[in-house]
């Protein structure tokens, strides 16, 4: 095969981006790969004055690769690429980064030990709600959820990347994160009560885990942008145990490839927070040789820390046992606590870890016949008040 | 320059689409063009049994061309392409078209002379509202509008493609349909009262009309899909006189290129209706050598009729003088009438044209100090009732 240099395509990107906005370098290669996700490495090197950012690229389908940047300083930036594909490597260009728009205060970071602020110094007081599966249900419900958020006071939402299978959530999602191999045996329409045990096929039988489905991730990105427009922070929950597909149970190599792909795609969105898992401690109880114990979570945490050029906030959500939040890769303490003494528990967590504390699950408002989702409005106000008076932050949810 | 056939990229497309869904064939070329919008022709030929659809392709930026199809019958389809670019031509493939989803009844067509139905026979009773500039204001307002539509009874919305400049709408849009050349002199923030006369630069001074901005059109498409999800028909208003940029005044060649691009991109969305213009008759009153008179509208109407493989509904909206709706390319009568005798006017229009009648502007609900936007809720109900009792359809609006 001959490479005709005149045929190479120049990269495309915006000439002007705002500070903490999103720059995207799009590149093409005509080369054929059996698996472009695994065979091609691509990296962008971005520079402005003393600042250098190295960002991993990703394959977006359709012979297209992308590298994204969230520029943290204003001024002239230059970039070049490196890759094992001769058409993707040594591409370069420059662009200008200007003042942020009026509602753009940058990403949220820890401020004053126990609190939060945007990168420009504006204080940020989290008032979150929970919409675990909103992106993996039918589109009408998704738009109704977006409509509700548009008219709500919430400035943070928690949601899952992988689809959820649990009580009240037993449908197949419109899109899968990985390409299907052959026929998917559908999820049972009634939850058996056993976590992890609902998958009717092994994950490798149903999906090609060595490739991603770019449309699944592009869909999430469109909503990340809209949440940004609404000034809502997006807490992305990277793994969870409410599973009928096997995505909680892919093995270490696929977990790592997934995190790499997710961080390459999403880290440049300024409103992203990483939550390693929901109810992380359940992964160690029910799985066999693929269980994730605290040492595995340590490793995945560190991988995100290493991959993310912007050091977005990182936490992890428990069911029974708390993770050791004193570990250096944990930026803030996330607690599920539905027992008594919430004020004291919050206060103790602050003292123990010297980090901001968010009680993300003190019991959801609602009237279902389960302890986790039967709080009255009055109880919710009381619980939220206890957390707030202890100098923590509460997160809301409704069943 | 050598062309290495092994370097050619295969087209990408969905293996399975539902009837009246959207198939998109994506193609790449590595060839360099000074202007890929004007230098490259691309056409898709789609076949299934006896049915053949010829669809014009379009340049989507980034060395990427696309051809779209809304398949009207189920079964196996094949396609091939023709182009003056050797990398885009003679590409081929096949895919399956299956049963439509539960909310997909196909495009709306005229039924029973004066009424409407979806392609699958389900009756369609238009109850529209007016959101002229929703896609060209700030994104927050756009999301609030979408949120309102999500919780509203409306099954049709009327909106402009080009940005609007008029009383209460004097801002620059986030995106332009054409690339800017140099600096845009911003619109005055106070409307002078004169239509067409607010452009501070000639349109050619500010914009390169020989190229489109694909992001502007992709943004509209994302909303077309969401309107589809909400079962809302999208009446696209192709030209209008509330202009501070000169898009009402581009000259015949650019008008035609614009229609070609718009139809190539949007016609495959089943919920699209074409409205040639809002207040079409104003274009003939104030413009010089570029005025559009009835004969020009005839021509533009016929161009849309010729380009659109699916024959979506076509109408035109007046200010004072009615267009001759008996012309064969008009599928339904659109009326602005804010005077008396709305019942009789609707009845007469039905008799005169033997087509469905939609009164799209009988006066908007609101309290602004202008006749066109000061109807009380009670008046609106009365006016809508008069139209309905005459066997026509009314369209709502709020100021």
């Amino acid at each position: 095969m001959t490479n005709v240099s005149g045929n190479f395509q120049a990269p495309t990107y915006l000439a002007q981006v705002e500070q903490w906005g999103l720059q995207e370098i799009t590149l093409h290669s005509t080369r054929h790969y059996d698996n472009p996700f695994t065979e091609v490495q691509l990296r962008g090197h971005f520079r402005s004055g003393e600042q250098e950012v190295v960002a991993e690229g990703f394959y977006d389908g359709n012979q297209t690769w992308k590298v994204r940047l969230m520029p943290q300083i204003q001024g002239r930036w230059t970039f070049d690429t490196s890759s094992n594909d001769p058409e993707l490597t040594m591409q370069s260009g420059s662009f200008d980064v200007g003042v942020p728009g009026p509602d753009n205060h940058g990403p949220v970071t820890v401020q004053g030990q126990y609190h939060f602020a945007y990168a420009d110094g504006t204080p940020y007081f989290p008032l979150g709600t929970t919409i675990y599966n909103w992106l993996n249900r039918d589109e009408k419900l998704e738009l109704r959820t977006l409509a509700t958020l548009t008219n709500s006071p919430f400035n943070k939402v928690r949601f899952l990347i992988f689809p959820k299978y649990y009580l009240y959530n037993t449908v197949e999602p419109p899109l899968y994160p990985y390409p299907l191999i052959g026929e998917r045996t559908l999820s049972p329409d009634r939850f058996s009560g056993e976590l992890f045990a609902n998958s009717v096929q092994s994950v490798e039988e149903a999906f090609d885990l060595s490739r991603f489905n770019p449309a699944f991730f592009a869909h999430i990105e469109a909503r990340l942008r809209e949440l940004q427009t609404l000034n809502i922070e997006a807490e992305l929950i990277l793994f969870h145990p409410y599973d009928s597909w096997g995505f909680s149970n892919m093995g270490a190599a696929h977990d790592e490839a997934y995190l790499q792909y997710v961080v390459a795609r999403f880290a440049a969105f300024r409103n992203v927070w990483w939550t390693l898992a929901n109810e992380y401690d359940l992964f160690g109880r029910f799985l066999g040789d693929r269980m994730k114990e605290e040492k595995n979570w340590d490793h995945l945490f560190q991988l995100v820390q290493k991959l993310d050029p912007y050091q977005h906030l990182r936490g992890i959500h428990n069911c029974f046992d708390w993770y050791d939040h004193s570990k250096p890769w944990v930026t803030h303490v996330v607690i599920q606590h539905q027992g008594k003494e919430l004020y004291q528990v919050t206060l103790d967590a602050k003292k123990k870890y010297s980090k901001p504390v968010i009680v993300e699950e003190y019991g959801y408002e609602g009237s279902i016949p389960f302890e986790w989702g039967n709080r009255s409005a009055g109880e919710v106000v009381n619980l939220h008040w206890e957390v707030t008076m202890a100098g923590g932050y509460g997160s809301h949810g409704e069943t």
Side-chain angles (χ1 to χ4, degrees), chain A:
Chain A
M1 192 190 287
T2 319
N3 281 293
V4 184
S5 69
N7 264 2
F8 281 21
Q9 289 183 211
T12 56
Y13 51 93
L14 297 169
Q16 170 95 32
V17 195
E18 62 186 52
Q19 187 180 12
W20 304 306
L22 195 153
Q23 176 61 286
E24 181 174 275
I25 316 289
T26 302
L27 304 130
H28 291 282
S29 171
T30 58
R31 303 219 150 199
H32 174 76
Y33 296 99
D34 287 336
N35 189 340
F37 291 97
T38 55
E39 292 174 45
V40 180
Q41 287 83 50
L42 170 66
R43 190 169 278 180
H45 308 264
F46 297 87
R47 288 175 204 86
S48 182
E50 295 299 299
Q51 180 143 82
E52 180 172 1
V53 177
V54 179
E56 298 295 324
F58 61 91
Y59 182 59
D60 198 33
N62 205 8
Q63 298 288 129
T64 305
W65 280 258
K66 291 178 175 169
V67 191
R68 289 177 175 161
L69 172 76
M70 175 185 79
Q72 292 169 288
I73 59 170
Q74 296 175 31
R76 189 81 181 157
W77 283 73
T78 59
F79 73 89
D80 55 69
T81 61
S82 57
S83 174
N84 58 340
D85 178 313
E87 299 182 38
L88 301 177
T89 200
M90 291 178 69
Q91 299 276 14
S92 63
S94 62
F95 54 90
D96 288 313
V97 174
V99 294
D103 281 337
N104 170 1
H105 302 289
V108 171
T109 56
V110 171
Q111 177 75 15
Q113 191 118 40
Y114 299 113
H115 303 287
F116 299 96
Y118 293 101
D120 74 353
T122 307
Y124 171 75
F125 304 100
L127 180 59
T129 191
T130 310
I131 47 175
Y132 284 130
N133 206 31
W134 78 304
L135 297 183
N136 291 302
R137 295 288 300 257
D138 68 276
E139 286 194 354
K140 249 177 226 185
L141 193 57
E142 181 178 333
L143 285 174
R144 287 221 311 272
T145 306
L146 184 67
T148 304
L149 290 175
T150 302
N151 298 305
S152 87
F154 297 113
N155 63 10
K156 177 166 170 290
V157 288
R158 309 177 58 228
F159 58 94
L160 310 168
I161 295 181
F162 289 128
K164 176 177 179 175
Y165 180 83
Y166 197 65
L167 272 170
Y168 313 113
N169 267 288
T170 55
V171 295
E172 289 290 305
L175 293 169
Y176 297 112
Y178 299 93
L180 265 184
I181 311 173
E183 288 290 304
R184 158 93 184 139
T185 309
L186 297 184
S187 301
D189 60 7
R190 203 154 156 194
F191 178 62
S192 72
E194 278 187 83
L195 291 173
F196 303 101
N198 303 287
S199 192
V200 281
Q201 292 161 291
S202 86
V203 65
E204 287 95 343
E205 230 170 52
F207 299 100
D208 179 355
L209 297 181
S210 75
R211 296 162 203 273
F212 298 97
N213 175 11
F216 176 88
F217 296 90
H219 168 229
I220 296 175
E221 287 157 8
R223 296 303 177 207
L224 287 178
R225 277 181 203 272
E226 291 176 330
L227 292 173
Q228 224 170 65
T229 297
L230 299 172
N231 300 327
I232 295 175
E233 299 292 301
E235 182 187 325
L236 294 171
I237 301 168
L238 298 165
F239 294 98
H240 68 82
Y242 329 113
D243 187 10
S244 169
W245 301 270
F247 303 133
S248 61
N249 193 16
M250 304 189 293
H254 291 306
D255 287 350
E256 290 172 17
Y258 160 72
L259 288 183
Q260 184 155 350
Y261 195 71
V262 160
V263 174
R265 293 197 71 119
F266 297 160
F269 291 84
R270 66 175 173 272
N271 57 334
V272 158
W273 301 29
W274 309 117
T275 287
L276 267 287
N278 226 57
E279 303 198 323
Y280 85 99
D281 48 323
L282 299 185
F283 286 74
R285 296 187 176 223
F286 303 105
L287 296 169
D289 59 343
R290 286 178 169 185
M291 70 168 61
K292 290 193 246 297
E293 297 178 289
E294 184 139 344
K295 68 171 187 290
N296 306 104
W297 292 113
D298 291 353
H299 174 70
L300 296 172
F301 247 124
Q302 290 172 84
L303 184 61
V304 172
Q305 183 185 31
K306 177 167 160 276
L307 290 168
D308 176 6
Y310 318 107
Q311 298 299 304
H312 289 286
L313 293 166
R314 287 180 300 269
I316 191 165
H317 171 279
N318 66 292
C319 182
F320 304 106
D321 304 328
W322 291 15
Y323 183 83
D324 178 2
H325 299 291
S326 66
K327 289 178 176 168
W329 42 81
V330 179
T331 58
H332 62 288
V333 180
V334 171
I335 292 174
Q336 171 171 195
H337 178 84
Q338 297 181 26
K340 291 181 189 299
E341 307 273 3
L342 190 54
Y343 173 81
Q344 195 57 47
V345 165
T346 307
L347 214 56
D348 291 348
K350 277 179 65 188
K351 280 195 193 133
K352 180 168 180 190
Y353 300 114
S354 298
K355 294 178 183 179
V357 172
I358 305 186
V359 180
E360 292 205 329
E361 208 176 327
Y362 49 65
Y364 302 133
E365 190 176 346
S367 54
I368 58 170
F370 299 94
E371 178 72 13
W372 52 267
N374 68 358
R375 301 289 183 276
S376 70
E379 284 173 302
V380 164
V381 170
N382 277 337
L383 291 165
H384 212 102
W385 185 249
E386 285 192 50
V387 172
T388 308
M389 285 302 96
Y393 297 93
S395 194
H396 165 268
E398 265 176 272
T399 57

